[in-house]
Amino acid sequence: MNVYGAQNYSSYYTHGSNVHCIRACMNEDGQDLLAVGGESKLEVLQRDAAVSTPEYKVIASFHIGSPITAIAWSARSKSPSRAASWFLELVVASEDKCLRRLLSSPKQQERIKLFPGGLTGHHGRINDVCFCTSETYQTHVASVGDDGFLVWNLYPRMYESEKENEENNMRLDSGPEDGDTEDEEVDQALNADHRGGSRRRRTKVSMFYSDLNVPGRSDEAADDNEEQPVRAINYPIPFSHPLHSIAAHSSSANQFMVSDTHGTVYIIDWTKLDQEKPEGWRGHRVVELVDPRALTDHSSWGGAASWKPDDINVIGAAYGSHWCIWDTRKLHGGKPIATGMGQEYGGSRFRWSPTNTSLFAISSSSPLAGPSIKVYRTQSLDTMKELNVLPRPNRNRVRDFDWLGVAHLEDSIRAWLAIAIGRKIYFVAAGDPIPTAPDEMDY
């Protein structure tokens, strides 16, 4: 393998505590935004587009009170550089096993909405969260953790499932029951879920739809209705192992990619999950991808996975000391079409670049690996560049990293990485030093 030498950072930002999680906004109107989660607060940073090297300032700060484990950006978020009526909306997970919705706009300062817990929430560590990317479900958020998978709607208003609609229609067609007028029967059928005297119990988990789908409705108008409680769509989705990552893809409105910690990546159609079927969610599993080495080697760890932004068929993941790439057009029994050596002490993050989609990067959270990131190019998988952010020897570890969006003309070429080490976020250009290669993938 060809290794291209060390490269130090170009600039950095200092947070008030150790940084646990970072996430760049990839919305068209928010690519200069970066969320930074620390020991007890989350900061939203905005990049100065006039400078080619990343330089950031704080535009919002939220006190969480617990270390942050995952961050997701809403598609509704807009940067102040793109709109006078800018709007920030994020969902964060924290070590207290809670999910919170964070909001900020010019008219209203920072607000925090706590998701409900109890029987509908997570009871273990929450490892990842993401928003649905389609307009149809853009108010839905999915979360995964040590105890499974949940889907939430930020603007719930329940509607009757197709099955119950059919049952109600049958009731109406059969005429009113004794003692009921026809108008009373219609009212009972349409309001069965809201009236204490309903004669039919719901046998299926209700789905929800968003008030935001009303044409012409603005973000601020929708936000006025935010006092509705966030609701969980709770499905019986059994997993054999804790879940590490979840992602949605812009090319699919109804699928999530979910990876566990022991060598399996699932693609599921969450909109068709049915509690009434004995097989539960397994009847709606689209694809199951496996890493045979991780399945047989119980000492393997990890499960960080990422969906290639420009190709819904390609998924990458890091398990133990190696990485895997799958292509659903070439399933081969769910086995990867390419594998390689990643982080010697175990990969903690695998992320595809959204601006230069031939690149992917892997980090390790082990202090033995030092503060470094390994970057690969799909056209030449035997060529790897190791970015040593700080001089060796150094026991500082990479807690998290993410690729930045395009906020400057040179960004699509340079492919900036934001790398969290200790209290600082270092910015490193990962793209241009790797030799160019043909466009086709090397697998």
Side-chain angles (χ1 to χ4, degrees):
M1 173 177 290
N2 298 318
V3 180
Y4 286 80
Q7 175 180 331
N8 292 326
Y9 60 89
S10 297
S11 58
Y12 66 87
Y13 170 81
T14 303
H15 186 64
S17 66
N18 286 333
V19 178
H20 288 255
C21 187
I22 58 177
R23 202 65 174 162
C25 182
M26 291 301 157
N27 299 346
E28 184 178 355
D29 292 332
Q31 295 203 16
D32 59 347
L33 299 177
L34 178 67
V36 179
E39 294 281 356
S40 61
K41 70 176 180 179
L42 180 135
E43 292 180 330
V44 177
L45 312 181
Q46 182 187 3
R47 183 176 169 185
D48 184 354
V51 183
S52 60
T53 300
E55 294 185 7
Y56 284 86
K57 66 178 180 179
V58 179
I59 61 172
S61 181
F62 302 86
H63 179 74
I64 305 300
S66 180
I68 294 169
T69 60
I71 302 170
W73 282 95
S74 164
R76 301 169 60 209
S77 296
K78 297 179 182 178
S79 170
S81 65
R82 300 300 297 268
S85 58
W86 56 270
F87 183 74
L88 303 179
E89 182 179 38
L90 307 93
V91 168
V92 301
S94 52
E95 287 190 0
D96 58 4
K97 304 174 186 177
C98 292
L99 288 163
R100 293 171 174 84
R101 178 177 170 227
L102 313 182
L103 299 156
S104 184
S105 65
K107 294 183 178 180
Q108 293 182 298
Q109 295 181 346
E110 292 87 345
R111 289 150 289 152
I112 300 176
K113 305 293 180 181
L114 185 66
F115 282 40
L119 297 177
T120 61
H122 283 280
H123 300 280
R125 177 185 168 88
I126 304 171
N127 296 319
D128 202 5
V129 292
C130 80
F131 276 83
C132 292
T133 55
S134 70
E135 292 186 1
T136 305
Y137 300 110
Q138 67 175 328
T139 63
H140 288 71
V141 178
S143 56
V144 296
D146 292 349
D147 60 347
F149 168 99
L150 287 174
V151 181
W152 310 77
N153 193 348
L154 302 182
Y155 297 88
R157 195 197 313 170
M158 294 201 300
Y159 68 91
E160 299 292 335
S161 65
E162 291 184 4
K163 178 176 179 179
E164 186 160 350
N165 282 335
E166 292 175 359
E167 292 176 350
N168 288 335
N169 289 336
M170 292 177 61
R171 290 182 63 196
L172 294 176
D173 291 341
S174 64
E177 297 181 2
D178 294 341
D180 287 332
T181 66
E182 184 173 357
D183 288 343
E184 289 173 341
E185 181 70 13
V186 171
D187 182 65
Q188 289 178 358
L190 294 178
N191 297 280
D193 192 57
H194 302 288
R195 299 177 56 150
S198 173
R199 284 183 290 270
R200 178 179 288 103
R201 296 185 64 184
R202 300 177 68 88
T203 58
K204 183 176 181 179
V205 172
S206 299
M207 297 290 288
F208 303 104
Y209 71 91
S210 168
D211 292 335
L212 295 181
N213 293 332
V214 179
R217 187 177 179 87
S218 68
D219 290 339
E220 292 183 2
D223 198 43
D224 290 339
N225 200 30
E226 68 185 20
E227 296 304 326
Q228 299 181 74
V230 177
R231 301 287 290 272
I233 305 174
N234 216 331
Y235 292 111
I237 307 179
F239 291 92
S240 300
H241 304 289
L243 303 179
H244 188 290
S245 302
I246 185 167
H249 201 282
S250 58
S251 299
S252 175
N254 59 344
Q255 293 180 356
F256 281 120
M257 178 214 69
V258 179
S259 65
D260 70 18
T261 58
H262 282 68
T264 307
V265 177
Y266 309 92
I267 300 177
I268 59 175
D269 184 348
W270 69 275
T271 61
K272 295 181 180 179
L273 303 179
D274 194 341
Q275 283 190 326
E276 293 184 344
K277 294 189 176 182
E279 68 272 21
W281 79 286
R282 295 179 184 274
H284 302 282
R285 182 184 302 173
V286 179
V287 175
E288 182 175 326
L289 309 171
V290 296
D291 174 16
R293 186 184 311 181
L295 289 175
T296 58
D297 182 6
H298 297 293
S299 64
S300 291
W301 62 99
S306 179
W307 225 333
K308 198 168 188 287
D310 64 339
D311 191 343
I312 194 174
N313 297 291
V314 179
I315 293 172
Y319 282 102
S321 60
H322 64 283
W323 51 261
C324 303
I325 293 178
W326 294 269
D327 190 330
T328 57
R329 293 162 296 201
K330 308 172 185 177
L331 282 176
H332 304 302
K335 297 179 181 179
I337 59 171
T339 62
M341 186 66 182
Q343 293 283 357
E344 180 181 358
Y345 300 100
S348 59
R349 287 284 188 270
F350 181 113
R351 298 201 194 279
W352 291 100
S353 169
T355 57
N356 187 338
T357 55
S358 66
L359 301 178
F360 66 89
I362 303 172
S363 69
S364 175
S365 60
S366 171
L368 298 176
S372 69
I373 300 283
K374 292 185 177 181
V375 180
Y376 300 80
R377 186 186 290 273
T378 55
Q379 297 96 330
S380 181
L381 289 172
D382 62 345
T383 299
M384 180 270 292
K385 180 180 67 174
E386 184 170 5
L387 304 176
N388 294 312
V389 182
L390 298 175
R392 291 178 179 270
N394 195 309
R395 290 298 186 183
N396 287 313
R397 63 190 179 99
V398 175
R399 289 183 175 270
D400 198 6
F401 79 91
D402 201 7
W403 300 89
L404 300 182
V406 177
H408 191 273
L409 294 176
E410 299 179 3
D411 287 353
S412 58
I413 300 174
R414 305 194 71 182
W416 287 100
L417 280 169
I419 304 170
I421 302 173
R423 294 171 176 260
K424 291 183 171 61
I425 300 171
Y426 298 91
F427 301 103
V428 181
D432 47 2
I434 299 180
T436 58
D439 291 337
E440 62 273 8
M441 293 185 180
D442 184 24
Y443 51 77

